[in-house]
Amino acid sequence: MTSASSLRVQIESALAHKLPSALTPRARVVRPTTPTGIDAVDGLLEGGLPVGALTEIVGPESSGRTSLALSSIAQLTAAGKVCAWVDVGDMLKPECAAAAGIALPYLLWVRCGIFRESVHTTPARFKLPQSCLVRPEPIKGLHGGGCGTHPRQESKSVARALEGFFGTEKLSNDSVGSVLRPFGNTVRPAQDARSAAQLSPWARIEQALKVTDLLLQGGGFSAVVLDMASLSAKYTSRIPLAHWFRYRAAAEHSRSSVLLLSQHACANSSAGLVLHLDGCSESSQRKTVLTAGAHRLQIHRQRFMQESNVIPMKKPVTKVTAAEWETHAAWAGRR
């Protein structure tokens, strides 16, 4: 009678052209992780957040999304690694980041939708143009009289006359208008309708997606945080899935961690790890919410699990998928 080992060899040799090693258990692939600095979360995730994958942190406001991301970035910057934070809603505070332990020289902060108004200082100099020294020729009217042009045309020449007296020039081109202040020392470019339209959520989302793509394709960043926590689901849910699939492939190629902060899950199957956080509750040790808060995290999807494809004979132990921890404010004296 043929033994089991020889039968196994015969089956694998017969299926070698279709399924190589058909009956051989797949070896475990240990995926590297980065610690978050929170013992309860690191123990639940078996080391921390996966490297080379897209991790989505979902939750309502004040649920601990930013605190978890800041703690994870702090662990990387403490080791001298460079990270990036793409801030869509301009919600990140450098003071809070420094209080969380992040080394700011190792963090690239990208603020989307921020336009700085440029101020150009020009001295106010009075000079008399040559046209004022020469007597102009009399302008004859329609019927040969001494009347001039229409008063509306004369009022339009006031700006040009002031430019000639004070020697100021317009700083912008025809597409962007400018406000001329001849009696002051500064000339400030006016904000046109195109600049106002760029501050919309859709324009900020488009800018953030392009920046994140450039950071991942360029490489050199250990972690890239895409902070979209300030946007509602009507904006994030309409982002094409091709962006998240491209980020997943770029993160795996560059071996960098991508952290997506949002109120509702939007990356779908492109996210290797989805963490859902509940709202912040009052701490059991502190009396005030501003001093300390309790958070609860639950795993909704985890693709990288340290398991094999061998079916056990006994029922496996139910795995814990939730963790709780507390955060303390910087002024409370406890980290």
Side-chain angles (χ1 to χ4, degrees):
M1 183 176 180
T2 308
S3 62
S5 59
S6 60
L7 182 61
R8 173 181 172 182
V9 172
Q10 293 178 8
I11 295 175
E12 287 189 348
S13 60
L15 299 176
H17 63 285
K18 292 183 179 180
L19 299 175
S21 302
L23 301 180
T24 302
R26 184 177 53 185
R28 287 189 177 185
V29 178
V30 179
R31 195 175 189 90
T33 57
T34 57
T36 61
I38 303 175
D39 297 336
V41 179
D42 292 341
L44 177 64
L45 301 178
E46 299 179 359
L49 303 179
V51 177
L54 174 62
T55 301
E56 189 172 9
I57 304 177
V58 184
E61 296 182 355
S62 302
S63 59
R65 298 165 305 182
T66 307
S67 300
L68 179 59
L70 289 175
S71 179
S72 178
I73 298 299
Q75 303 299 318
L76 294 174
T77 55
K81 298 181 180 180
V82 182
C83 303
W85 191 291
V86 182
D87 195 359
V88 180
D90 193 23
M91 303 298 292
L92 179 64
K93 302 301 180 183
E95 298 82 2
C96 298
I102 295 180
L104 297 182
Y106 294 95
L107 179 65
L108 174 63
W109 181 25
V110 181
R111 304 172 65 185
C112 300
I114 301 300
F115 294 90
R116 182 176 298 177
E117 185 181 13
S118 59
V119 179
H120 303 274
T121 303
T122 56
R125 296 176 298 176
F126 179 82
K127 65 178 181 179
L128 193 63
Q130 188 68 20
S131 60
C132 296
L133 301 177
V134 180
R135 184 176 181 179
E137 297 181 1
I139 303 176
K140 295 183 179 182
L142 180 62
H143 304 286
C147 60
T149 59
H150 197 275
R152 182 171 60 250
Q153 300 294 336
E154 296 181 357
S155 63
K156 292 181 179 180
S157 303
V158 175
R160 293 194 298 269
L162 292 176
E163 290 181 16
F165 278 115
F166 288 90
T168 57
E169 298 179 356
K170 293 184 178 181
L171 301 178
S172 58
N173 51 17
D174 296 334
S175 61
V176 182
S178 63
V179 178
L180 182 62
R181 299 181 180 180
F183 297 101
N185 295 330
T186 60
V187 178
R188 299 176 182 268
Q191 185 178 10
D192 58 346
R194 183 178 61 180
S195 299
Q198 290 178 352
L199 298 176
S200 62
W202 291 115
R204 287 188 278 115
I205 290 174
E206 183 180 1
Q207 183 181 5
L209 294 177
K210 291 181 179 179
V211 170
T212 307
D213 196 1
L214 290 175
L215 294 177
L216 292 176
Q217 296 295 337
F221 295 93
S222 298
V224 177
V225 180
L226 180 56
D227 189 359
M228 304 179 66
S230 60
L231 301 177
S232 59
K234 66 178 181 180
Y235 298 108
T236 57
S237 60
R238 297 179 63 181
I239 299 177
L241 298 179
H243 290 281
W244 312 124
F245 182 80
R246 186 165 60 251
Y247 295 164
R248 168 191 169 185
E252 188 174 359
H253 181 265
S254 60
R255 307 303 298 170
S256 61
S257 302
V258 180
L259 275 67
L260 174 60
L261 309 183
S262 60
Q263 296 183 9
H264 301 273
C266 56
N268 294 342
S269 60
S270 298
L273 178 63
V274 179
L275 305 177
H276 188 276
L277 283 80
D278 299 331
C280 178
S281 60
E282 186 176 357
S283 176
S284 58
Q285 300 179 0
R286 303 283 179 163
K287 298 299 182 181
T288 58
V289 179
L290 295 178
T291 305
H295 306 278
R296 187 176 186 274
L297 178 144
Q298 187 175 2
I299 300 177
H300 275 203
R301 182 188 298 116
Q302 188 177 11
R303 295 176 54 199
F304 312 107
M305 300 180 65
Q306 306 299 332
E307 296 180 357
S308 63
N309 57 356
V310 178
I311 301 177
M313 299 300 295
K314 297 181 180 180
K315 184 178 180 180
V317 181
T318 304
K319 186 178 180 180
V320 179
T321 59
E324 297 181 358
W325 79 96
E326 294 183 357
T327 57
H328 303 269
W331 58 83
R334 176 184 174 184
R335 295 305 303 267

